[in-house]
Amino acid sequence: MCGIVGAVAQRNIVPVLIEGLRRLEYRGYDSCGVAVLANGEPRRARSVARVADLDDQVRDTRLAGATGIAHTRWATHGAPVTDNAHPIFSRDTLAIVHNGIIENYETLGEVLRGKGYEFVSQTDTEVIAHLIHSLYRGDLFAAVREAVQQLHGAYAIAVLHKDQPHTVVGARQGSPLVVGLGDGENFLASDALALAGSTDRFIFLEEGDVCELKLDGVRIADRDGQPAQRDVRQVAAYGGAVELGPYRHFMQKEIFEQPRAISDTIPQADGFDPSLFGEAAPKVFGKIDSLLILACGTSYYSGLTAKYWLESIAKIPTQVEIASEYRYRDSVPNPNALVVVISQSGETADTLAALKHAQSLGHQHTLSVCNVGTSAMVRQTEFTFLTHAGREIGVASTKAFTTQLVALFVLALTLAKVRGHLSAAQESNYLKQLRHLPAALNSVLALEPQIIAWSEEFSRKENALFLGRGLHYPIALEGALKLKEISYIHAEAYPAGELKHGPLALVTEAMPVVTVAPNDALLEKLKSNIQEVRARGGQLYVFADSDTRIVNAEGLHVIRMPEHYGLLSPILHVVPLQLLAYHTACARGTDVDKPRNLAKSVTVE
Ligand code: G6P
């Protein structure tokens, strides 16, 4: 989604800005741009193509300057056309880049039009540009501080002004922004990752902060306008660009990285102790009486899977809710509940807002399951469990999902132990199973050639149904999500028992029905559902555990999963669904890692 990079230096900063945009590309965007102060005038280049195209433009026009801002845009207000691409100018004196949404842009726009400002884009951003311009009296820092008081919504901005060389001013509220500290130069970005290679010293700005970058330092004011001291953190984890290696796409690479990612996420300790989640967790976990899980997208499905584990192993009531729904409905808070937010990025706007909402309702105990240790979500929760998936580039989440499942399984076992539902023998047995998971996953990944054969047929379909029962219903949901995200085939998932209550009407030869069939207590029920589809001429594609005795027949295609994995089976069964979506998308020739209209990190509502 939208990305910001800014810099003040004594050298041409354009290559650093472009490299920063490149590092943010994987998040998804539809246009990009850069502006610098060149001989005291703001000059810019913008593109509705890729950052590589912007780079060509910059080289062709010899755009250079020591003070600059840059942006990747994911359209919200106004189509992805050049006029709407950032940086946006106000009267050729001020340039701004902006992430987020300004909710009162229409009202502010009216006032500014009344003052003679002309609008040339359809963006909400242009309102901020003119507002700051109208408040500028020779001090950009002061003008931005005054302007943000009038903004409603979520934003991160970076601004430069022609009369203030070597100055970039930033502000954040609801969208992330970090300052990168250099020697005689300073940087700003929406994600520290953008500045890898330029610095490893960061200040993570807090909500309401406004900052001013100069060559020799950075000053910050808090939301009340008071000077603020913020910790400087050394973050060395943002190495160079991630290599694709022998893989065709990052998604494929990330699917195959899952054994390693899972092995890194499984705790080293010999048991499940609450201290895995934070120092105070041993005290708190004993007191909580329920869980409220909040997340979006794939992370929501990991929460749905966890509900089955938490209620069956730990016997703790668990509610799972889509973050964007929870934040806007009236709910009944329970101060004894543990609020769990799940997020790969830790920056998803809806999940962050849902967390804030839960806290404002009086929920005191919060835990984040997150893949980014420096993210806002981790900083805003009492407890944390970090997944060690490593950087995930493909927009369609894969290794982040399975590592979240591992984290949530560990949470279920930890709570089971605290609540007296886990014997020492069970504990060591589950630990053994977890440790064997990477090997079991490798056997599932070896099914790729068989899945490629199926994907050829899938690529010619326009619809697909996914069925699962119990623990595997969320896996069916995730399989359908993967397929629609990257292959653009319409896919829906149902709990298999619901088939006869509606979706059976859709079953014809043209509708493939994908079924996850582990050898669990619900197998016989699932077999009946399979017959219901076959009787109507439907084509079934079943991922069956080897001991289920479901075999190939007319209209029934079976791929055997290597072994039955008990309660951990969802972690294995989702992998062939990821591969099926991936190879189907490849066969259809879509942009697998950057599917149309989607973004990796959704930092707007
Ligand atoms: C976007 C991504 C999904 C992801 C969701 C939640 O929609 O495309 O892959 O599941 O955001 O992201 P999070 O970072 O909070 O897990």
Side-chain angles (χ1 to χ4, degrees):
M1 198 154 260
C2 300
I4 289 177
V5 195
V8 292
Q10 298 180 75
R11 55 181 170 133
N12 175 21
I13 210 65
V14 172
V16 171
L17 298 174
I18 297 281
E19 174 58 22
L21 294 186
R22 274 214 179 91
R23 289 174 181 276
L24 297 176
E25 270 194 296
Y26 77 97
R27 300 166 72 124
Y29 66 105
D30 42 46
S31 52
C32 50
V34 56
V36 288
L37 285 182
N39 300 323
E41 295 298 325
R43 279 187 57 212
R44 69 185 159 188
R46 296 184 288 177
S47 168
V48 288
R50 301 274 115 188
V51 172
D53 176 70
L54 182 69
D55 194 19
D56 289 345
Q57 269 194 57
V58 160
R59 285 168 200 273
D60 292 349
T61 57
R62 294 172 199 249
L63 186 75
T67 304
I69 52 178
H71 193 252
T72 47
R73 174 171 188 255
W74 188 82
T76 56
H77 294 61
V81 295
T82 310
D83 278 349
N84 292 333
H86 303 199
I88 298 279
F89 282 3
S90 177
R91 295 193 174 162
D92 286 337
T93 55
L94 175 152
I96 185 169
V97 292
H98 162 224
N99 288 358
I101 290 174
I102 302 304
E103 287 164 2
N104 57 337
Y105 79 103
E106 281 165 326
T107 329
L108 291 172
E110 288 294 297
V111 177
L112 289 160
R113 271 187 197 93
K115 290 185 176 168
Y117 284 96
E118 237 178 80
F119 285 74
V120 295
S121 76
Q122 284 82 51
T123 63
D124 50 344
T125 308
E126 194 170 354
V127 163
I128 323 176
H130 296 323
L131 181 62
I132 298 172
H133 184 278
S134 72
L135 297 167
Y136 182 79
R137 312 267 178 279
D139 180 347
L140 187 60
F141 188 48
V144 171
R145 279 189 351 243
E146 214 180 313
V148 295
Q149 304 297 325
Q150 299 184 38
L151 302 179
H152 299 166
Y155 55 83
I157 56 172
V159 195
L160 56 79
H161 193 286
K162 69 183 265 201
D163 296 341
Q164 304 231 265
H166 301 303
T167 307
V168 167
V169 175
R172 70 155 290 197
Q173 175 68 49
S175 290
L177 198 62
V178 297
V179 171
L181 301 171
D183 285 331
E185 53 187 28
N186 290 299
F187 310 92
L188 199 61
S190 50
D191 187 329
L193 175 73
L195 301 176
S198 295
T199 182
D200 60 358
R201 289 185 303 133
F202 296 100
I203 294 171
F204 293 87
L205 295 175
E206 293 185 9
E207 292 286 70
D209 280 357
V210 179
C211 67
E212 181 191 54
L213 269 61
K214 295 259 187 201
L215 290 174
D216 55 357
V218 173
R219 75 178 151 134
I220 299 171
D222 65 16
R223 66 167 78 242
D224 302 319
Q226 297 305 312
Q229 290 297 324
R230 303 278 178 242
D231 294 343
V232 177
R233 295 175 59 180
Q234 191 112 12
V235 181
Y238 299 104
V242 177
E243 300 297 333
L244 196 52
Y247 298 98
R248 210 169 136 194
H249 295 98
F250 281 106
M251 182 178 176
Q252 187 187 27
K253 176 174 187 254
E254 286 156 6
I255 291 172
F256 278 83
E257 272 175 358
Q258 291 180 104
R260 193 275 309 147
I262 283 177
S263 152
D264 288 356
T265 301
I266 297 167
Q268 299 291 312
D270 281 336
F272 302 100
D273 193 89
S275 59
L276 290 168
F277 296 83
E279 245 173 63
K283 233 169 73 198
V284 173
F285 278 21
K287 288 194 300 203
I288 59 161
D289 64 6
S290 61
L291 265 76
L292 169 61
I293 299 182
L294 304 169
C296 302
T298 288
S299 298
Y300 168 67
Y301 293 147
S302 74
L304 279 186
T305 314
K307 176 183 166 82
Y308 288 86
W309 288 330
L310 286 156
E311 297 209 336
S312 91
I313 314 174
K315 320 264 177 249
I316 188 159
T318 302
Q319 189 189 333
V320 192
E321 203 159 337
I322 290 175
S324 55
E325 286 297 311
Y326 172 76
R327 63 183 286 200
Y328 289 120
R329 76 172 180 88
D330 291 331
S331 57
V332 183
N334 168 10
N336 295 322
L338 177 67
V339 176
V340 182
V341 281
I342 309 170
S343 176
Q344 187 283 126
S345 61
E347 303 291 355
T348 301
D350 281 322
T351 313
L352 279 171
L355 170 65
K356 210 164 159 194
H357 180 64
Q359 285 164 330
S360 76
L361 290 179
H363 283 287
Q364 348 161 11
H365 300 304
T366 55
L367 161 70
S368 51
V369 172
C370 189
N371 198 35
V372 182
T374 51
S375 63
M377 218 169 287
V378 167
R379 281 180 275 125
Q380 286 163 28
T381 45
E382 184 182 16
F383 307 117
T384 298
F385 189 102
L386 286 183
T387 50
H388 293 281
R391 227 169 108 194
E392 194 178 63
I393 304 278
V395 164
S397 185
T398 52
K399 60 178 180 171
F401 179 68
T402 45
T403 52
Q404 284 168 354
L405 289 179
V406 168
L408 293 163
F409 192 70
V410 170
L411 177 65
L413 294 176
T414 307
L415 288 170
K417 191 170 166 186
V418 170
R419 295 161 66 83
H421 298 301
L422 192 73
S423 67
Q426 284 170 321
E427 184 172 10
S428 98
N429 200 22
Y430 280 129
L431 205 55
K432 243 191 254 157
Q433 280 187 38
L434 269 174
R435 299 249 148 91
H436 179 61
L437 248 185
L441 265 174
N442 275 322
S443 325
V444 177
L445 290 167
L447 299 173
E448 191 181 33
Q450 294 178 59
I451 296 167
I452 292 175
W454 280 10
S455 66
E456 289 298 324
E457 285 168 48
F458 268 76
S459 66
R460 292 189 286 274
K461 308 284 181 193
E462 288 310 324
N463 297 286
L465 265 180
F466 284 68
L467 303 178
R469 292 197 82 124
L471 257 182
H472 295 82
Y473 166 49
I475 296 307
L477 286 166
E478 173 61 5
L481 177 65
K482 287 290 85 100
L483 190 69
K484 73 183 121 188
E485 274 180 313
I486 58 169
S487 76
Y488 315 147
I489 292 174
H490 168 235
E492 279 191 70
Y494 272 88
E498 278 290 292
L499 190 64
K500 54 191 172 295
H501 298 296
L504 201 52
L506 298 172
V507 172
T508 65
E509 262 186 28
M511 173 77 88
V513 181
V514 182
T515 311
V516 182
N519 189 6
D520 61 13
L522 294 171
L523 178 65
E524 292 311 318
K525 303 268 173 226
L526 189 76
K527 280 183 174 169
S528 312
N529 303 139
I530 289 175
Q531 293 313 331
E532 288 165 11
V533 173
R534 285 189 72 197
R536 277 135 191 111
Q539 293 293 311
L540 273 150
Y541 295 82
V542 185
F543 292 99
D545 282 351
S546 47
D547 44 3
T548 52
R549 289 206 237 130
I550 301 176
V551 289
N552 279 310
E554 178 70 31
L556 178 58
H557 314 269
V558 182
I559 288 182
R560 300 214 155 280
M561 295 289 284
E563 57 190 306
H564 177 57
Y565 223 79
L567 284 175
L568 281 167
S569 159
I571 301 179
L572 296 191
H573 268 278
V574 76
V575 174
L577 302 186
Q578 296 169 343
L579 284 168
L580 181 64
Y582 171 71
H583 286 292
T584 304
C586 287
R588 286 168 75 100
T590 61
D591 189 352
V592 172
D593 285 333
K594 299 189 191 82
R596 71 181 177 210
N597 306 340
L598 299 182
K600 180 75 191 156
S601 206
V602 182
T603 48
V604 294
E605 216 187 292

